[in-house]
Amino acid sequence: MAGPEGITVWRHPRPEGVKGRCIGARSDVPVHWRRAKRLARRIQAHARRHRLPHEIWTSPLQRCAEVGRWLRRWGWTHHTRDELREMDFGAWDGRSWRDIPKAEVDAWVADFLGFAPAGGESLQALLDRVAACALPAGALAVSHGGWMLARRWRHEQPQRQPSADRWPRPPDYGEAWRVG
């Protein structure tokens, strides 16, 4: 996972109380401190193993930033970046998936790239935000499943238009990906 090209990004630890809910940029849900500390220790070990600078970039949402705060306690430099936030699901954010009208979900599936839930952002907007997020080569980051999927899609399939049936499964909580 080490190397000068791309970045290594971990998905934040599993947050509290999110099962069955649409969780995006507006849901600043907590993560148990033990999970945050455990992921911070894994990142610390990765940096030590690959002789990387003790510097971490995170989303400002607490499920990511708490990992950065643990690392800062241990002498790391912690940067928060709005560009690392999860997709903004607008009016859907925080709601149970069961309570989101089927017609709205169907509209999203039909226009997977362009549809934006009321007040939220489209997948195209997320892809554009991810593409504009410039971190130093070799950087270590903590972000969100949707952000990681968008970054990987942009890097590996830049000419292919995403669709609901081709969109991959998100990384597991705490999983690391090397992305361009």
Side-chain angles (χ1 to χ4, degrees):
M1 256 194 259
E5 63 288 333
I7 65 171
T8 302
V9 59
W10 283 262
R11 186 178 183 192
H12 59 77
R14 182 174 51 84
E16 302 291 316
V18 298
K19 188 172 175 110
R21 294 173 47 206
C22 175
I23 303 297
R26 297 179 187 208
S27 297
D28 198 8
V29 292
V31 64
H32 193 282
W33 69 269
R34 282 189 186 107
R35 288 190 195 111
K37 185 177 182 182
R38 190 175 307 125
L39 181 55
R41 286 287 187 210
R42 287 181 42 224
I43 294 168
Q44 186 180 45
H46 175 85
R48 186 178 308 117
R49 187 170 45 255
H50 297 288
R51 295 186 173 90
L52 299 171
H54 292 176
E55 196 163 16
I56 189 78
W57 280 261
T58 73
S59 159
L61 298 175
Q62 62 180 324
R63 56 195 183 265
C64 296
E66 186 59 28
V67 176
R69 285 190 283 274
W70 275 106
L71 289 164
R72 187 176 58 227
R73 288 179 186 117
W74 303 329
W76 284 51
T77 302
H78 175 210
H79 309 273
T80 58
R81 296 280 294 271
D82 281 341
E83 304 97 285
L84 291 168
R85 286 177 297 110
E86 179 61 280
M87 184 171 172
D88 184 344
F89 285 102
W92 293 4
D93 216 311
R95 293 174 63 190
S96 166
W97 282 105
R98 289 187 319 263
D99 296 339
I100 298 169
K102 184 179 181 323
E104 291 181 30
V105 175
D106 290 345
W108 182 29
V109 170
D111 183 12
F112 194 60
L113 190 60
F115 178 84
E121 72 182 323
S122 66
L123 178 57
Q124 182 64 61
L126 175 62
L127 288 165
D128 292 345
R129 176 163 51 89
V130 162
C133 183
L135 296 178
L140 305 177
V142 180
S143 191
H144 307 270
W147 190 94
M148 291 170 70
L149 286 167
R151 182 78 175 223
R152 181 177 269 182
W153 188 278
R154 269 283 193 215
H155 180 71
E156 294 178 0
Q157 304 184 65
Q159 304 305 320
R160 193 170 184 194
Q161 181 169 325
S163 63
D165 63 329
R166 287 189 297 209
W167 196 245
R169 181 187 74 73
D172 292 334
Y173 292 115
E175 185 176 345
W177 283 2
R178 187 87 182 144
V179 293

